[in-house]
Amino acid sequence: MSTVFLGGALVAAAVTLFILQPILSGLHASLDRAEDELTDTEARKRVALLALRDVEYDFLAGKLDEKDYLSLKADLTAEALEALEADAEGSEPHFLDDDVEAEITKIRAALRSGLMCVSCGFGNDDGSHFCSECGQQLKIGAVG
Amino acid sequence: MTILGEYALWIALPISVWGMLLGYVGGRTQRGDYVLSAERSIYAVFFLLVLASLGIVSAFLGDKFEYWYIASYSNREMEFFYKVTGLWAGQRGSLLFWAVILAFFSTLCVFLNRKKNREFMPYVAGVLQTILTFFLVVLLFADVNPFEQLAFTPANGQGLNPQLQNYWMTIHPPTLYLGFTAFTIPFAFAVAALLNGRLDARWIELTRRWILLSWLFLAVGIIFGMRWAYEELGWGGYWFWDPVENASLLPWLTATAFLHSIQIQENRGMLKVWNMSLVLLTFLLTIFATFLTRSGLIESVHSFAQELKIAYIFLSFMGVVLLACILLIIYRLPKLQSENSIQSFLSRESAFLFNNLILLGAAFAVFWGTIFPLVAEGVTGQQVSVGPPFFEKVNFPIGLVLLALAGIGPVIAWRRATKRNLQKNFQIPIMVGCFVAIALWIAGARHGLALVTWSVCAFVLTVIATEFWKGTRARARIEGEGFAVALFHLVTRNRRRWGGYIVHVGIVMIYFAFAGAAYNVDERQHVLPGDQINITSPFGHIYTLTYEGLSVSLGRGQRNLLWQAIATVSVEQDGVAKGILTTEKRQYVTSDQLMTEVGIRSTVREDLYLILSAMDDVDGALSANSSAQGIDLQVLVKPFVLWIWAGGLILALGTVIALWPSVDRRRRSSRPELEAVTTGAPAIAGVAR
């Protein structure tokens, strides 16, 4: 019995020491956002891009009319670009790799240019005026 | 070890209270040392609760009948396996087990977030310790201490209720408990967000996986429970709208609603108050479920407890949590305003909203049906019972609308869908649905509700298959991949969407099986050895069952068995021998009640389910007198039951796909959004190339 009691006392002492140590010896847990976490602007950007992705998907899958698609896409592209630009003005470069940055630029350009065929969804090369997949005339510069 | 376990339980209480206070104070004053101490206290409480659980398990293994809990739920003859799982066989152990799992999830949560989401963690630690403190107070002060000793040491224990000595019963409660307790983590993040005022979409992003995990455990736990009822309770069904079954269904319904409505908040910045309320409601319902299961307030198959003190403690706790949460939401209302409004009635967000209202309607109906007898008894003093007919009447139509929505939702676009597109997209699925209904009608199916259910199932499956087909085709075309590769990438690059669709397929399979119950065949006959019963299956073939005889034997102490009577029946289907089925009655030392073991022959089409209902003369049969071997044999043919279990597997698979962390997500936070754009949407990817 006394051995068990001693065991219990030891457990209690060890546990108490374990939880009091930070206060006694000044150990601190961080309370700030870590460097690689999303900031609010980044979160907004992400949401805008994801929404854009959904609209693209819905259009490709035939759930959206071309007219609605173009107007929604214009709205969302504007939102996404705004968020991207707001982000670029901030102190963000520390968390982006160069290649990531380059990809964003590419996406930005592609979003603006309207090289994607609204009829079949094919992504065309620069300078195209007609879709190489289905022959539809491309609406270059129609959105963004 | 057992005494040390009891000490550990007592030590855990002050540690937990300490952690709770330091979590809140540390968050408020931004003191890092306080917060670290609070977080460490969670590790400490987990360690202490593990010690306490080991104490109980060692008491089971050591046959320490001086403890009330061990004497009530074990005896010397019990198998090792059931002694270990005795930890959650009764109310007291279950509460301890519950606390251990909660402490485990809390520890995991604190550990995973030791370097991120730091501005949430002080309050998260505080909230988790609050819940842990509550369970410790219940364990120590509500007359349910599993370490309570008797004034004397009985020579042997009473043994475990034989119905609980079943494989499914040992895994069903822990699975449900995992589901219930895992939901505490999203709740803690939600309250932390309310406390620190960071109410953007981030807390939802942080908790989505926890919610999916909890949802998965709840779903699987419910299905395990159905399986147990089907195999062990011996009345031929899997769901009886028992209060405890209902209690586990309630948080699952509201969590399902939440999983859909968070998508509206993420996509459209709407429904913030609604989502917050759903998290709080689901958490309260998990506590309510424990309360119902383990307070003995409502008598049911599951309730083996009588104490009422614990009921009051639970009710007060739920009341305090509810009030605190409502006040917090009101305080934060300005930060919970919607950023957008619904643009069109024909949009996915309005479909989701509708789905939410229906799910909550179902939850309310189930809740009301469950507590109504209690309220009525309190008011009128008369016992009222609300049986399956009420729940079925209310929930069948609700369930059908929900099922239909699972087909409508995916086809409607976010924000704005046009009638023309809807017509175009719905044409084929509706045609398939109608075709299935007509084909089944021609094949002879005449049950209205079943026909409608099956035709809606066909509609939903067509929609989902079309989604997969269109997505794969688009990806294959744009990325130049083969179809199999394109399908694989499609699913892995947007696991959540496609995992969700797979879950829907599982749900459709389960509905399909439920509707099969309309064609159950149920016959009861008195038979003597050599007698035959002919049963026509709903599929037209004929089972010829030959009763071979009853063999009664005395138990020799194994598994506490006194005697068992085994009826042997050979089965022929359209003249072809299909083997032998047995069904039993058992008398255990530990219970006055006779237990039934059913005989089941499962095929893809139907289950043949035999129940030994009654015996003419057990003593005569024991002396192998064949004229005394007459029995009442109940024969059921139950179409499609296997599909429930299969549907459960598909559902689990889909959920695992949806919550599996993607490789890219593990790398850098900047990656996933690019992934989303460059690979999730084939069109943009095509442009970006």
Side-chain angles (χ1 to χ4, degrees):
Chain A
M1 186 69 193
S2 61
T3 340
V4 177
F5 190 74
L6 195 69
L10 270 177
V11 169
V15 165
T16 312
L17 196 68
F18 176 65
I19 64 163
L20 285 183
Q21 193 206 1
I23 296 173
L24 297 176
S25 55
L27 288 173
H28 285 256
S30 153
L31 295 176
D32 301 321
R33 196 191 293 270
E35 278 200 349
D36 57 352
E37 283 181 82
L38 289 180
T39 61
D40 291 340
T41 2
E42 284 157 14
R44 271 220 312 280
K45 177 178 75 180
R46 187 190 150 95
V47 167
L49 288 174
L50 285 174
L52 198 52
R53 178 187 76 173
D54 273 337
V55 167
E56 294 282 355
Y57 180 87
D58 285 343
F59 173 65
L60 261 184
K63 295 173 200 169
L64 271 176
D65 267 346
E66 188 180 329
K67 197 171 126 246
D68 280 336
Y69 162 71
L70 288 175
S71 89
L72 279 175
K73 188 176 168 182
D75 292 352
L76 285 169
T77 308
E79 266 178 48
L81 285 176
E82 196 182 309
L84 282 169
E85 268 149 26
D87 209 28
E89 286 161 15
S91 56
E92 130 281 355
H94 69 269
F95 87 95
L96 284 175
D97 294 328
D98 287 347
D99 58 337
V100 173
E101 183 71 35
E103 273 197 78
I104 286 194
T105 316
K106 245 205 285 187
I107 294 168
R108 218 177 273 180
L111 290 175
R112 283 206 173 107
S113 69
L115 278 167
M116 197 202 77
C117 172
V118 290
S119 167
C120 72
F122 188 80
N124 292 285
D125 290 333
D126 267 349
S128 311
H129 291 281
F130 292 90
C131 174
S132 10
E133 178 80 5
C134 68
Q136 172 87 18
Q137 185 168 14
L138 297 175
K139 301 186 175 176
I140 308 295
V143 288
Chain B
M1 185 66 213
T2 310
I3 300 174
L4 191 65
E6 186 178 1
Y7 290 159
L9 202 57
W10 282 101
I11 301 168
L13 181 63
I15 302 277
S16 180
V17 173
W18 168 268
M20 169 176 80
L21 296 176
L22 258 72
Y24 295 127
V25 175
R28 185 95 193 128
T29 58
Q30 293 292 300
R31 289 270 304 254
D33 49 347
Y34 285 10
V35 175
L36 188 60
S37 177
E39 289 181 322
R40 283 189 173 193
S41 74
I42 286 181
Y43 297 143
V45 168
F46 175 52
F47 168 71
L48 292 165
L49 285 173
V50 168
L51 273 188
S53 308
L54 288 177
I56 291 292
V57 173
S58 77
F60 265 105
L61 294 178
D63 291 331
K64 293 189 175 169
F65 300 121
E66 65 267 34
Y67 291 96
W68 180 91
Y69 186 65
I70 313 299
S72 306
Y73 291 96
S74 179
N75 60 12
R76 294 188 193 283
E77 293 75 25
M78 205 156 80
E79 291 163 41
F80 174 81
F81 179 69
Y82 291 112
K83 282 184 177 172
V84 175
T85 57
L87 177 60
W88 57 85
Q91 176 204 32
R92 299 183 179 202
S94 292
L95 286 168
L96 174 61
F97 186 56
W98 184 291
V100 177
I101 302 180
L102 177 56
F104 167 72
F105 278 135
S106 307
T107 298
L108 193 65
C109 169
V110 170
F111 181 75
L112 290 177
N113 289 296
R114 66 196 182 285
K115 287 194 176 130
K116 52 182 185 183
N117 310 317
R118 295 306 306 171
E119 65 270 51
F120 289 93
M121 288 317 285
Y123 296 120
V124 168
V127 174
L128 291 174
Q129 283 291 31
T130 309
I131 318 290
L132 280 167
T133 303
F134 163 71
F135 275 98
L136 286 167
V137 167
V138 168
L139 278 166
L140 291 167
F141 301 108
D143 301 333
V144 289
N145 189 334
F147 292 99
E148 186 189 322
Q149 297 201 22
L150 294 164
F152 61 99
T153 306
N156 201 351
Q158 294 168 7
L160 184 63
N161 181 332
Q163 282 186 333
L164 302 184
Q165 296 187 28
N166 171 289
Y167 170 72
W168 293 108
M169 204 52 200
T170 52
I171 57 170
H172 156 62
T175 321
L176 271 185
Y177 292 174
L178 284 169
F180 288 146
T181 47
F183 208 89
T184 310
I185 311 290
F187 170 76
F189 270 100
V191 174
L194 282 171
L195 283 169
N196 72 9
R198 292 176 193 273
L199 288 157
D200 47 45
R202 228 156 53 93
W203 70 270
I204 283 187
E205 175 70 22
L206 299 179
T207 55
R208 196 178 68 80
R209 283 218 165 71
W210 283 103
I211 291 166
L212 271 175
L213 187 74
S214 157
W215 187 89
L216 172 65
F217 280 129
L218 279 179
V220 172
I222 290 171
I223 291 171
F224 283 168
M226 288 163 75
R227 185 72 195 242
W228 169 72
Y230 188 65
E231 279 188 4
E232 194 62 29
L233 289 185
W235 51 269
Y238 36 75
W239 191 266
F240 200 64
W241 300 102
D242 169 78
V244 175
E245 288 169 342
N246 293 348
S248 61
L249 186 63
L250 287 171
W252 184 82
L253 287 172
T254 51
T256 310
F258 180 75
L259 280 175
H260 289 91
S261 67
I262 46 171
Q263 297 180 41
I264 309 184
Q265 179 164 349
E266 285 176 344
N267 273 284
R268 310 278 292 114
M270 291 158 54
L271 299 185
K272 291 180 181 177
V273 176
W274 176 262
N275 284 328
M276 190 55 90
S277 312
L278 275 181
V279 173
L280 306 177
L281 180 65
T282 307
F283 171 73
L284 280 175
L285 286 173
T286 63
I287 299 286
F288 177 72
T290 338
F291 162 68
L292 263 194
T293 327
R294 295 303 175 192
S295 72
L297 199 61
I298 293 183
E299 281 307 314
S300 81
V301 194
H302 298 65
S303 243
F304 303 106
Q306 277 82 41
E307 296 88 346
L308 273 180
K309 190 171 176 181
I310 181 174
Y312 293 119
I313 298 187
F314 262 95
L315 278 179
S316 332
F317 176 70
M318 286 192 285
V320 170
V321 171
L322 182 65
L323 189 69
C325 291
I326 291 175
L327 289 177
L328 266 177
I329 290 182
I330 294 175
Y331 172 61
R332 289 295 184 193
L333 267 184
K335 287 200 169 188
L336 288 167
Q337 300 302 321
S338 276
E339 293 157 25
N340 290 298
S341 56
I342 290 192
Q343 291 182 354
S344 156
F345 177 71
L346 279 180
S347 60
R348 191 174 298 164
E349 46 268 44
S350 81
F352 272 0
L353 197 59
F354 195 45
N355 136 307
N356 260 242
L357 293 176
I358 300 235
L359 277 166
L360 278 229
F364 180 75
V366 173
F367 178 77
W368 184 241
T370 309
I371 64 154
F372 177 74
L374 198 72
V375 176
E377 199 184 331
V379 176
T380 65
Q382 286 184 328
Q383 283 210 330
V384 194
S385 77
V386 177
F390 163 77
F391 291 105
E392 286 168 6
K393 206 169 184 172
V394 175
N395 284 307
F396 280 5
I398 291 182
L400 262 182
V401 176
L402 265 181
L403 180 64
L405 278 176
I408 296 170
V411 181
I412 299 191
W414 286 106
R415 289 157 195 259
R416 210 180 300 158
T418 49
K419 282 191 190 132
R420 201 170 61 82
N421 270 312
L422 288 185
Q423 275 165 2
K424 196 175 77 187
N425 286 315
F426 279 133
Q427 221 165 26
I428 294 175
I430 287 180
M431 272 161 57
V432 172
C434 293
F435 173 77
V436 165
I438 294 167
L440 286 170
W441 175 270
I442 293 171
R446 290 291 184 275
H447 192 282
L449 195 59
L451 272 181
V452 174
T453 309
W454 285 329
S455 112
V456 178
C457 282
F459 162 75
V460 177
L461 277 186
T462 314
V463 167
I464 296 174
T466 315
E467 284 285 296
F468 270 97
W469 163 245
K470 280 183 178 168
T472 310
R473 192 185 53 183
R475 203 182 156 92
R477 194 173 58 201
I478 289 161
E479 299 288 329
E481 296 169 340
F483 267 70
V485 180
L487 176 66
F488 177 75
H489 282 151
L490 185 76
V491 174
T492 50
R493 297 299 156 85
N494 194 351
R495 290 166 199 276
R496 183 173 166 182
R497 176 187 207 120
W498 301 102
Y501 286 162
I502 293 172
V503 171
H504 284 178
V505 172
I507 298 278
V508 167
M509 288 166 74
I510 292 173
Y511 267 90
F512 167 75
F514 284 167
Y519 290 92
N520 282 353
V521 175
D522 187 347
E523 278 198 41
R524 182 173 166 154
Q525 282 191 23
H526 183 267
V527 283
L528 289 168
D531 283 357
Q532 288 194 329
I533 304 175
N534 285 320
I535 298 272
T536 310
S537 133
F539 290 100
H541 47 259
I542 294 168
Y543 285 111
T544 306
L545 308 173
T546 312
Y547 171 48
E548 305 289 354
L550 187 70
S551 136
V552 183
S553 57
L554 295 177
R556 290 180 182 79
Q558 306 100 323
R559 293 187 68 188
N560 297 309
L561 195 63
L562 208 57
W563 56 262
Q564 64 181 349
I566 306 176
T568 310
V569 177
S570 45
V571 181
E572 279 180 23
Q573 184 182 327
D574 291 334
V576 182
K578 292 286 178 187
I580 281 174
L581 280 181
T582 59
T583 164
E584 308 177 19
K585 281 273 188 237
R586 291 181 184 170
Q587 176 74 65
Y588 286 92
V589 185
T590 46
S591 166
D592 296 334
Q593 234 185 321
L594 277 182
M595 298 295 155
T596 308
E597 293 287 316
V598 296
I600 303 173
R601 181 174 182 275
S602 240
T603 61
V604 176
R605 276 199 292 194
E606 64 198 4
D607 279 16
L608 179 66
Y609 190 105
L610 302 186
I611 307 170
L612 173 54
S613 300
M615 294 166 295
D616 289 353
D617 178 4
V618 180
D619 292 332
L622 181 59
S623 49
N625 175 1
S626 77
S627 62
Q629 293 182 16
I631 57 165
D632 277 7
L633 185 65
Q634 192 178 353
V635 184
L636 291 94
V637 181
K638 300 171 74 65
F640 306 136
V641 172
L642 198 67
W643 290 74
I644 299 179
W645 325 128
L649 271 178
I650 300 289
L651 176 149
L653 174 76
T655 318
V656 169
I657 289 177
L659 64 76
W660 201 262
S662 63
V663 181
D664 313 286
R665 202 175 276 272
R666 277 187 230 126
R667 265 188 252 140
R668 295 187 70 117
S669 61
S670 57
R671 281 281 183 187
E673 67 206 55
L674 274 169
E675 267 299 310
V677 175
T678 53
T679 54
I684 305 186
V687 175
R689 270 186 317 182

